[in-house]
Amino acid sequence: MAAVGGTSQVPGISSVDRQHLDDALVACAGVPQVVEAIAASTRRQAILRTGWPIARWLGRLRRDPLKDLGLDSDMSMAALAKASLPEASPVQRAHAALALRDLTDKASAGLESSGRDAIRNAADPRAHTIVDDLDHAIEATQVRARTAWWWRAVQIVQWLAFLGLIAGLGWLAVEAIVDNFFPDTSLPDIQDIAGYAAGAVVAAGSAALGILLGLSSRLLARLSGRRRAKRADQALRAAIDEVTVRRIIGPVQEQLD
């Protein structure tokens, strides 16, 4: 056995080598692009639902980042898989094969040719189908895309502030029209606030509240985008890691054992 297999201590599969393989397969599957699109789209949705109504209307003119990947706003895994892996291209398969060969070379260092061949043969046949396996694994992964509760709450307050702005400006307009064209008409007596017309105070206060709330919502939207993208990244990486263990790590480790 020493003559056939050698007497050097086999390094096996280190955590660093396994992480390198996972990272290569994650990049091969296009996960970083999908995760970034999820973060950007979540920020956009949050801003559209919580921002100042006028800014929200203008923001709808921007293209949703998920649309560039052919995804719906629900971010279903079937759509994610289709976007990230539209087709197992030769380049993708080459990257997967290179990552697998690097893993087996490091894991079999010190073995004689028969031992190295056994380990390579445990991994190499799977290099041709690993991308398809990643596609199926991602499609089967579930990532919830729920609307944050605070979106609805902020949206209600924003609309109330917007209506307050309209009401304040409308009252100022009515007062101006009556004073200039109908001086004999009496309007309800509304006391000034701190020496300023009540309509102006209501309009200015509503506008300030809406703008301040919109700016705060942008910060929260960025945090929400990061959290949702992190959850999606973890779920997709876990699915890829399961494929790696089942199709690569397990068979190679069996040969090493």
Side-chain angles (χ1 to χ4, degrees):
M1 291 183 65
V4 174
T7 58
S8 299
Q9 183 177 357
V10 181
I13 302 175
S14 68
S15 58
V16 175
D17 294 336
R18 179 172 172 177
Q19 185 63 46
H20 177 71
L21 176 62
D22 282 343
D23 291 342
L25 295 180
V26 165
C28 178
V31 171
Q33 292 83 350
V34 175
V35 170
E36 178 58 31
I38 290 175
S41 181
T42 301
R43 291 194 300 267
R44 179 179 181 274
Q45 291 180 49
I47 291 173
L48 287 179
R49 297 194 183 192
T50 62
W52 188 238
I54 297 177
R56 286 161 49 190
W57 295 333
L58 295 176
R60 293 184 186 278
L61 300 177
R62 297 181 179 179
R63 183 173 178 83
D64 192 337
L66 289 180
K67 299 298 183 182
D68 295 333
L69 292 177
L71 301 178
D72 298 325
S73 59
D74 62 354
M75 293 179 284
S76 63
M77 282 299 102
L80 284 172
K82 183 179 179 181
S84 61
L85 295 172
E87 183 180 358
S89 67
V91 175
Q92 288 176 313
R93 297 185 188 276
H95 286 171
L98 182 61
L100 292 178
R101 176 56 63 89
D102 185 53
L103 176 75
T104 56
D105 287 345
K106 292 181 178 179
S108 61
L111 291 178
E112 297 298 329
S113 59
S114 59
R116 292 196 301 270
D117 291 342
I119 292 176
R120 288 175 179 174
N121 290 335
D124 285 352
R126 293 164 174 80
H128 302 290
T129 60
I130 190 66
V131 177
D132 298 327
D133 293 336
L134 296 178
D135 190 356
H136 298 318
I138 291 176
E139 187 174 355
T141 304
Q142 296 296 325
V143 174
R144 300 295 181 185
R146 295 174 297 180
T147 300
W149 64 269
W150 63 271
W151 292 6
R152 178 67 64 181
V154 173
Q155 187 179 45
I156 294 174
V157 177
Q158 285 285 32
W159 274 111
L160 292 176
F162 185 70
L163 292 176
L165 173 63
I166 298 300
L169 294 178
W171 183 252
L172 290 177
V174 169
E175 287 183 332
I177 293 174
V178 170
D179 290 343
N180 287 278
F181 299 100
F182 306 98
D184 297 332
T185 302
S186 60
L187 293 173
D189 186 19
I190 299 179
Q191 298 295 326
D192 292 344
I193 301 176
Y196 297 96
V201 174
V202 171
S206 298
L209 174 62
I211 293 174
L212 179 61
L213 197 57
L215 294 176
S216 301
S217 297
R218 283 182 174 271
L219 176 60
L220 293 177
R222 187 175 298 276
L223 296 177
S224 295
R226 291 178 180 175
R227 285 196 300 268
R228 182 169 293 180
K230 183 178 180 179
R231 289 196 300 268
D233 183 69
Q234 291 174 343
L236 295 174
R237 285 179 178 271
I240 291 176
D241 184 69
E242 190 277 331
V243 172
T244 304
V245 172
R246 176 169 49 87
R247 298 299 305 274
I248 305 299
I249 302 299
V252 170
Q253 189 62 52
E254 182 180 357
Q255 292 299 322
L256 290 173
D257 292 340

